[in-house]
Amino acid sequence: MRAARRSSSAYDGLFNALRSLVARRAQELTGLSLVALAGAVAVALATWSVDDPSLNNATDLPIRNLLGWPGAIVADLLMQLLGLGAIAALLPLALWGWRLMKARELGRSQLRFALWIIGAGAATALASAMPATDRWPLPTGLGGVVGDAILAGAKAVTGLSNGPASALLGLFFAGVTILSLTAACGLGLADERRHEEPEDFD
């Protein structure tokens, strides 16, 4: 009777260990995928050219994007929608992936995702609040369609028009961007200790 219980307990322990191992490897693979995705999008954005073929630009010119036509299409969509704000949106993805690969735990994922969306939106509005140079090839502002829409909505609500007063909106969106993306990345020291201590204990 005791031997049967010991055998059952041994099988349960082996099953739990195997399940824990699979879960950890899955989280590490998810983290690696996020890092690879952020890196690939960063390369596509860094080599973006308005002359590359895209969904609204048919051309026979050679593709300059290092990732070929998929990279050209993704980069063009992000630049038109988010503008330079797309660069800020990549940082949390890369850090989430690194965190999953290192600590195998993210924590409060829904809150992080919401803060990421808020921070990315504020980053696009901040970019649109900046004056575009003559070298900017798109008809939208530096924050793309989304940034222009958010900035226009903020101006309509606050009544601030173009000029020195609109700089206040830029400062506001800069603060929201920094706070939201920093919190989404989980860069607090206390948060890091809470995730590192259980791993050391194990």
Side-chain angles (χ1 to χ4, degrees):
M1 189 69 174
R2 293 180 180 178
R5 290 180 179 178
R6 290 177 181 177
S7 178
S8 177
S9 178
Y11 281 123
D12 291 340
L14 180 61
F15 176 76
N16 292 333
L18 180 60
R19 183 174 59 181
S20 177
L21 178 63
V22 172
R24 290 182 178 182
R25 297 292 87 82
Q27 289 183 357
E28 291 175 354
L29 181 60
T30 302
L32 180 60
S33 300
L34 287 177
V35 172
L37 176 62
V41 175
V43 171
L45 290 175
T47 57
W48 167 72
S49 175
V50 70
D51 296 325
D52 281 345
S54 60
L55 298 179
N56 59 353
N57 182 32
T59 179
D60 295 331
L61 295 176
I63 301 176
R64 300 180 183 180
N65 200 290
L66 291 180
L67 298 184
W69 66 266
I73 292 177
V74 170
D76 186 71
L77 285 175
L78 289 177
M79 293 303 290
Q80 290 196 42
L81 292 176
L82 305 180
L84 299 181
I87 301 175
L90 289 179
L91 181 59
L93 289 180
L95 290 180
W96 289 349
W98 176 255
R99 191 184 187 95
L100 287 173
M101 293 172 60
K102 180 182 177 182
R104 295 184 290 273
E105 185 179 354
L106 192 59
R108 292 181 283 187
S109 57
Q110 294 180 350
L111 178 60
R112 291 177 187 271
F113 183 78
L115 290 173
W116 176 55
I117 296 297
I118 295 173
T124 60
L126 174 61
S128 291
M130 299 178 181
T133 62
D134 296 335
R135 299 181 60 182
W136 181 247
L138 298 178
T140 60
L142 297 179
V145 176
V146 175
D148 289 352
I150 295 177
L151 183 62
K155 288 182 178 180
V157 171
T158 60
L160 297 176
S161 59
N162 295 327
S166 63
L168 296 176
L169 288 177
L171 293 176
F172 169 76
F173 284 121
V176 174
T177 300
I178 294 173
L179 293 177
S180 298
L181 293 183
T182 300
C185 292
L187 298 180
L189 295 178
D191 192 40
E192 289 291 342
R193 293 194 193 100
R194 283 196 298 268
H195 284 83
E196 288 178 359
E197 288 175 355
E199 185 178 0
D200 295 340
F201 177 78
D202 291 341

